[in-house]
Amino acid sequence: MIQLNDPALKRALIEKHHFQEHFSLDLEKCSVLLRCEAGETLCHSGEVYPEIQLLADGALIASSVSKRGKLHCELQYQSPNILGLTSALWNKPAINTIEALTPCLCLSLSVDLYGAALHHDTKFLNYACLYLAEHIRKNFIHYEQLPTRLAQFILREQKDGYFGYNTRLCADVLETSQRHLLRTLRSFCDGGILEHVGRSRYRILGVSKLKAQ
């Protein structure tokens, strides 16, 4: 990652995503603007993350290696998002390896410099608790049948009424085979829920039907 000295861009990203609403610290003064390239690793599993990262632009993938040595993609982070809460703030080893899928811009907060202040910042702690609780709620989809898991995943990842996601990664995140995933996507199309409009890209026709899955 490289550090960018661009106060105007930093300010614009903070305002765009309303990051300052979740911190008592002045993010313009306390954060560092970083850029990473696609394929670059931000954090390795087992390491203690030294910084809290606010993902302001781009996409990241979280992955882990099973006991059998298989790489498993846990989830994809889209901006805006936050990383490193448990690892950085409470000095715990990271569970996943975080890698950039696209070029990314992040606002980085050093825990060495600002950890004590964050631990006493009720505004930030409320945000952190809500974020972690929502993360746990989203993980409950792994206990549902694939149509339900896929429907909730589509609703979560859609942009402007369209769902586009690498099917191999999607199958891995939903813990199913690519063949089963494609079969379920076809059934959604046959049922008038989705329309296939391009390679791994679908238009959502029935939001209420997705919610009912």
Side-chain angles (χ1 to χ4, degrees), residues 36-70:
C36 64
E37 302 301 328
E40 190 172 348
T41 299
L42 281 73
C43 177
H44 291 279
S45 174
E47 293 181 349
V48 175
Y49 212 54
E51 301 169 336
I52 289 174
Q53 303 277 6
L54 300 174
L55 177 61
D57 188 63
L60 304 166
I61 191 80
S63 61
S64 62
V65 178
S66 69
K67 293 181 179 179
R68 296 181 180 180
K70 180 183 177 182

Side-chain angles (χ1 to χ4, degrees), residues 147 150-151 153-155 158 161-164 181-197 200-207 209-210 213:
L150 178 57
F153 187 77
I154 290 171
L155 289 169
Q158 64 85 25
Y162 286 85
F163 173 72
L181 173 70
L182 292 172
R183 189 185 304 122
T184 306
L185 284 168
R186 282 196 299 271
S187 73
F188 282 5
C189 292
D190 293 341
I193 299 173
L194 300 177
E195 178 187 11
H196 190 201
V197 295
S200 300
R201 183 170 172 79
Y202 297 83
R203 184 163 69 94
I204 299 173
L205 302 177
V207 173
K209 290 183 178 180
L210 276 177
Q213 290 295 315

Side-chain angles (χ1 to χ4, degrees), residues 8-22:
L9 177 58
K10 183 197 293 187
R11 185 181 310 111
L13 292 171
I14 292 172
E15 292 176 354
K16 177 182 178 181
H17 299 304
H18 309 288
F19 284 140
Q20 188 60 63
E21 295 177 5
H22 308 300

Side-chain angles (χ1 to χ4, degrees), residues 17-122:
H17 299 304
H18 309 288
F19 284 140
Q20 188 60 63
E21 295 177 5
H22 308 300
F23 293 84
S24 296
L25 290 172
D26 186 338
L27 289 180
E28 285 192 51
K29 295 180 179 178
C30 299
S31 66
V32 174
L33 180 60
L34 301 175
R35 176 185 171 88
C36 64
E37 302 301 328
E40 190 172 348
T41 299
L42 281 73
C43 177
H44 291 279
S45 174
E47 293 181 349
V48 175
Y49 212 54
E51 301 169 336
I52 289 174
Q53 303 277 6
L54 300 174
L55 177 61
D57 188 63
L60 304 166
I61 191 80
S63 61
S64 62
V65 178
S66 69
K67 293 181 179 179
R68 296 181 180 180
K70 180 183 177 182
L71 182 66
H72 174 68
C73 299
E74 298 286 348
L75 72 150
Q76 182 174 326
Y77 292 95
Q78 299 279 359
S79 59
N81 223 307
I82 187 167
L83 299 92
L85 281 175
T86 305
S87 178
L89 203 57
W90 289 284
N91 200 39
K92 302 291 185 181
I95 297 174
N96 298 314
T97 294
I98 308 295
E99 181 180 330
L101 287 176
T102 66
C104 295
L105 292 174
C106 297
L107 299 172
S108 178
L109 278 168
S110 169
V111 174
D112 287 341
L113 294 177
Y114 304 110
L118 291 173
H119 273 287
H120 291 87
D121 185 350
T122 55

